Amino acid sequence: GWRRRGARPPRRPPPGSGRGGRGPGRPRRPPTPLFQVMLGDQPADAAVELDGVTARTVPLATGTAKFDLSVLTETLPGGAVRLGIEYDAELFDAATVQRLADRTARLAAAVVAAPDRPLPFVPLADAADLAVVDGWGDGGPVPDLGTVWLHEAVLAAASHVPDRVAVAAAGVSLTYRALRRRVELLAAGLQARGIGAEDRVAICHARTVDLPVAMLGVLAAGAAYLPVRDNDPPERRAGMLQDAEARLVLADAETASWLDGYGVPVVSVDELVAAAERDGAAVDPARLVDPRQLAYVLYTSGSTGRPKGVGVTHEGALMRIGWGVAAFCRHELAGLVAATSLVFDLSLFELFTPLAAGGTVVLAESVLDLPTLPDRDRVTMVTTVPSGMAALLDIDGWPATVHTVGLGGEALPQQLARRVWERGPRRVVNLYGTTEDSFCSTWVELHPDGGPITAGRPLPGSRVAVVNAALLPVPPGVPGEIVSAGAGVSRGYLGRPGLTAGVYVPDPAGPPGHRQYRTGDRGRWTEAGLEVAGRLDHQVKIRGHRIELGEVEAAIAAVPGVAETVALVDGAPGGAARRLVAFVRPGGEHGALDAAAVRAALRRRLPDYMVPAAFVFLDAMPRTPSGKLDRAALAALPVTAAEGAAATGEAPRGATETAVALVWQDMIGLTRVTRDDRFFELGGDSLLAARMTTRVNDRFGVAVPLRQIFDDDRLAAFARRIDEGLRAG
């Protein structure tokens, strides 16, 4: 923001401040120059002898604060130190400043008493502070769904509403009775193939009614499901299957062809269901041993360049579903659109919560397909990332039946929250959490009055704390690292005990052997809820995707001809325009590098959302005076969108190519696009692809699937599919 563009920082309360006393009509004075906070030491009061006159300093109350916050110390005769604080009452209230003074005195006394103790081990919070943050951080008891198994809680509705539609996709539906029957047969078929407790079964399946059947069937067989995206690079898919030691892959006819040659048997749901029905096979419940058994494994980006698999248990996942059923009424869960890919943990909530409540899951490829879904009139609730919601509002894709919105996965801008409320939902909630804590740790119901947006309070069965480097709780308002604990904390990273031990640490407030997860997120507790303020490392969120910049940099560094590289994020948090940018210093004897060559190499290793949208080539990386890489200077460099094939490229032919080119120019911010340009090489991404496909289909009255742009993203090829759709009527 302001640092990159050279503008003044916005005038906001410093961390730990309270609400000031500025009235509605009172103008705010201009920001103070140079800095906002001052720490100064001044000499003790000393008399000055003049001719017959004794002069001394006299404190004078001016009623004006020279800076936002001034902390002044004075050493008195005898060695005592007097502390004075001058503050801007527009930013701080008296109680906040008194707490600041008390904590400073407490810290000074502790340091004097034990000067050899490392500073992080000096407790800053007293008993009163701990009582406050403990109360805010405790989510209360776990809701009881009457079972310890995730799939049983989901399928229980089949006994109460057997003829109600459980799943709807592309005009095809499945009742609860049919869903339960197919799940039981699939589980029996999997067990007949030797699948048992904690075996990993990969799922690479189209978003048809059999997608939840595959997930539930794996769970009922006692195994854990492993989502795999068919549009991920082959190298990444192979690495995940090998790392997780997958025993089997469940796929449909379309996706099965993507999985040839991986050394893992590929079967379809229909094949296993038919075999179990033919043989009269039944499910053996003995494969379900312990509620802490693995339910699923999700792979997230790894800072070392290698993705890591998070193992979530039945206990943790079931706790989250229990919260969802309790937090939302049956009318809200009557029709929840499930548009999140299985590789993201929000899909757990979208698919299993409505089923556990007897509602209907409406499957979609993307949340931007909502306006044209055959079953859109069933949708009563939408959950997505803020950037996805912004795109949905941009295309005016809001069905009148939607009255509850859940947003999570990235920062929620205040302006976007206002836009959502303007569409008239009755309820909007904000969710915060990590895959390592079974997808969600805290939540809050937002209000249309525009109050502060926070992450709220913990879910039932969860505890959330803010700690310092020594894992000691910090007082309210003081920033630190967010840690989560409780039954939702996952088992750890599959086959990575060293990595697990680094962030899954003993939970001092939990039962023996229980652990808490260090999220790496920076935050603080306030009366309004948990405020999340970025990361303590180089992990970023783009359109809900968790990306370790180290993994992106490692992939770029492996490209021949790259001597040095840095990956950064451009754009406001939570915005649809947020994008990944790579700065590259070429080197070696591999000839000139260009963005197309680097991007092509990355697409063989990284999923599309981790491939930078723009590349900036530099002769040298900026350095600080000490020789360290200057990331702030990189962030200040101008980054422009790519410009097609430039003057040598062939102009679009015909009305369709020309119209598509204009759409691409408008959405990516280009002045010219040629017929051989590729959408993703121009700076497009998965979210822009979904928006672009929706816009083009609406413009031409056709239904070119989103998949087409991933299969071949050349402008001429995409326009040809539109023409084929027009000819087919």
Side-chain angles (χ1 to χ4, degrees):
W2 61 270
R3 290 185 186 278
R4 194 170 79 87
R5 294 175 175 81
R8 283 201 52 79
R11 185 169 173 76
R12 292 177 294 187
S17 67
R19 293 189 179 184
R22 184 172 64 92
R26 179 179 167 188
R28 184 184 292 277
R29 65 173 173 80
T32 53
L34 300 181
F35 56 86
Q36 284 71 53
V37 179
M38 181 180 75
L39 172 65
D41 183 61
Q42 55 192 13
D45 187 12
V48 178
E49 296 295 335
L50 301 175
D51 291 340
V53 177
T54 299
R56 70 179 187 274
T57 58
V58 177
L60 179 62
T62 64
T64 301
K66 293 182 287 295
F67 305 101
D68 291 354
L69 183 70
S70 299
V71 180
L72 304 174
T73 62
E74 179 183 2
T75 304
L76 304 176
V81 176
R82 180 162 56 194
L83 180 72
I85 300 180
E86 179 182 273
Y87 62 95
D88 183 352
E90 293 180 350
L91 300 179
F92 299 89
D93 56 30
T96 297
V97 176
Q98 185 61 54
R99 288 195 297 269
L100 176 62
D102 292 343
R103 290 167 189 163
T104 304
R106 189 183 313 129
L107 178 63
V111 169
V112 170
D116 295 332
R117 181 163 43 174
L119 194 59
F121 290 89
V122 177
L124 193 60
D126 62 10
D129 289 333
L130 292 177
V132 170
V133 294
D134 286 348
W136 289 345
D138 191 346
V142 179
D144 184 12
L145 283 179
T147 179
V148 297
W149 302 110
L150 177 59
H151 58 283
E152 288 184 357
V154 171
L155 294 174
S159 303
H160 308 293
V161 287
D163 297 320
R164 184 176 294 171
V165 172
V167 187
V172 179
S173 61
L174 205 63
T175 66
Y176 274 92
R177 179 186 285 110
L179 173 67
R180 181 161 200 160
R181 176 62 176 163
R182 286 185 70 78
V183 167
E184 290 172 346
L185 288 170
L186 175 59
L190 287 169
Q191 290 182 349
R193 289 282 190 118
I195 299 300
E198 297 215 343
D199 284 337
R200 267 75 76 184
V201 175
I203 296 178
C204 188
H205 204 285
R207 300 186 76 80
T208 68
V209 292
D210 269 341
L211 180 62
V213 172
M215 300 165 67
L216 293 168
V218 171
L219 295 174
Y225 69 81
L226 166 68
V228 176
R229 298 199 322 166
D230 58 356
N231 57 355
D232 273 350
E235 183 178 330
R236 190 178 185 86
R237 290 199 300 266
M240 290 168 54
L241 292 172
Q242 181 180 3
D243 187 70
E245 298 179 343
R247 293 279 311 279
L248 203 68
V249 179
L250 284 177
D252 58 279
E254 181 180 351
T255 59
S257 60
W258 291 79
L259 296 161
D260 292 337
Y262 285 88
V264 183
V266 181
V267 294
S268 69
V269 172
D270 282 337
E271 181 182 347
L272 291 177
V273 166
E277 196 165 30
R278 182 187 65 244
D279 300 336
V283 179
D284 177 10
R287 309 290 178 93
L288 297 168
V289 181
D290 189 311
R292 289 168 293 183
Q293 200 166 304
L294 281 184
Y296 59 86
V297 177
L298 296 185
Y299 273 81
T300 66
S301 182
S303 58
T304 62
R306 173 186 169 193
K308 51 187 184 291
V310 181
V312 180
T313 65
H314 279 260
E315 181 182 42
L318 183 62
M319 189 175 74
R320 300 311 189 217
I321 299 306
W323 159 76
V325 172
F328 302 96
C329 69
R330 293 186 181 275
H331 181 62
E332 290 174 288
L333 298 174
L336 201 158
V337 64
T340 303
S341 169
L342 254 60
V343 300
F344 304 116
D345 42 21
L346 184 60
S347 62
L348 174 83
F349 177 86
E350 292 180 342
L351 286 161
F352 290 165
T353 308
L355 292 177
T360 299
V361 173
V362 180
L363 287 165
E365 291 287 340
S366 163
V367 71
L368 301 186
D369 292 338
L370 196 52
T372 57
L373 281 182
D375 302 289
R376 62 185 176 277
D377 291 338
R378 293 181 180 271
V379 177
T380 57
M381 183 173 181
V382 176
T383 57
T384 186
V385 294
S387 51
M389 177 56 65
L392 183 64
L393 294 173
D394 287 343
I395 64 173
D396 197 24
W398 193 281
T401 53
V402 173
H403 58 74
T404 302
V405 174
L407 299 168
E410 59 190 15
L412 174 58
Q414 184 80 55
Q415 183 179 8
L416 177 60
R418 286 195 295 267
R419 290 183 65 194
V420 173
W421 277 117
E422 288 172 359
R423 296 309 303 257
R426 301 174 192 171
R427 199 177 186 196
V428 179
V429 300
N430 190 32
L431 311 173
Y432 163 77
T434 60
T435 303
E436 288 84 349
D437 195 25
S438 303
F439 124 76
C440 189
S441 304
T442 68
W443 76 299
V444 63
E445 185 170 345
L446 303 180
H447 298 283
D449 60 3
I453 294 180
T454 71
R457 298 277 188 258
L459 272 62
S462 291
R463 284 180 292 105
V464 175
V466 179
V467 300
N468 66 6
L471 300 182
L472 295 177
V474 296
V478 176
E481 181 179 8
I482 300 172
V483 296
S484 55
V489 174
S490 60
R491 185 182 295 181
Y493 300 120
L494 208 64
R496 311 281 290 277
L499 191 61
T500 298
V503 291
Y504 290 80
V505 296
D507 178 12
H514 280 230
R515 297 173 299 175
Q516 57 185 353
Y517 171 66
R518 301 183 61 175
T519 67
D521 287 334
R522 180 180 173 87
R524 63 175 182 149
W525 276 118
T526 69
E527 291 185 8
L530 179 68
E531 289 186 357
V532 183
R535 293 285 301 178
L536 298 170
D537 55 18
H538 292 153
Q539 187 186 108
V540 298
K541 282 282 189 79
I542 300 180
R543 296 178 299 280
H545 301 276
R546 192 168 104 179
I547 300 173
E548 292 280 5
L549 294 179
E551 183 175 0
V552 178
E553 291 170 351
I556 299 174
V559 177
V562 173
E564 189 177 12
T565 183
V566 178
L568 296 176
V569 175
D570 184 44
R578 194 165 164 84
R579 61 177 180 166
L580 197 60
V581 177
F583 297 87
V584 178
R585 178 173 67 84
E589 301 176 356
H590 296 276
L593 279 177
D594 59 55
V598 178
R599 185 177 284 109
L602 294 182
R603 289 198 179 280
R604 293 192 290 270
R605 294 190 57 183
L606 299 176
D608 57 332
Y609 62 86
M610 292 181 68
V611 176
F615 291 86
V616 179
F617 293 90
L618 303 173
D619 293 332
M621 293 288 182
R623 304 283 177 181
T624 64
S626 62
K628 294 183 178 180
L629 184 71
D630 193 341
R631 289 180 175 268
L634 284 175
L637 294 176
V639 179
T640 57
E643 284 295 333
T648 59
E650 185 179 355
R653 300 176 186 170
T656 304
E657 288 187 12
T658 301
V660 172
L662 291 174
V663 172
W664 288 17
Q665 289 174 206
D666 179 55
M667 298 192 74
I668 305 178
L670 307 174
T671 58
R672 182 175 187 267
V673 174
T674 75
R675 67 189 312 265
D676 292 321
D677 279 331
R678 295 183 176 274
F679 182 78
F680 295 110
E681 291 183 0
L682 293 175
D685 53 52
S686 55
L687 180 60
L688 276 177
R691 295 174 63 190
M692 183 273 295
T693 304
T694 300
R695 186 165 161 183
V696 167
N697 288 349
D698 183 62
R699 160 71 173 80
F700 289 99
V702 296
V704 176
L706 177 62
R707 173 83 210 191
Q708 170 60 27
I709 195 67
F710 290 100
D711 289 342
D712 191 343
D713 64 341
R714 290 180 300 113
L715 185 142
F718 187 72
R720 185 164 57 250
R721 286 298 300 269
I722 295 174
D723 287 334
E724 291 171 358
L726 290 171
R727 287 194 295 271

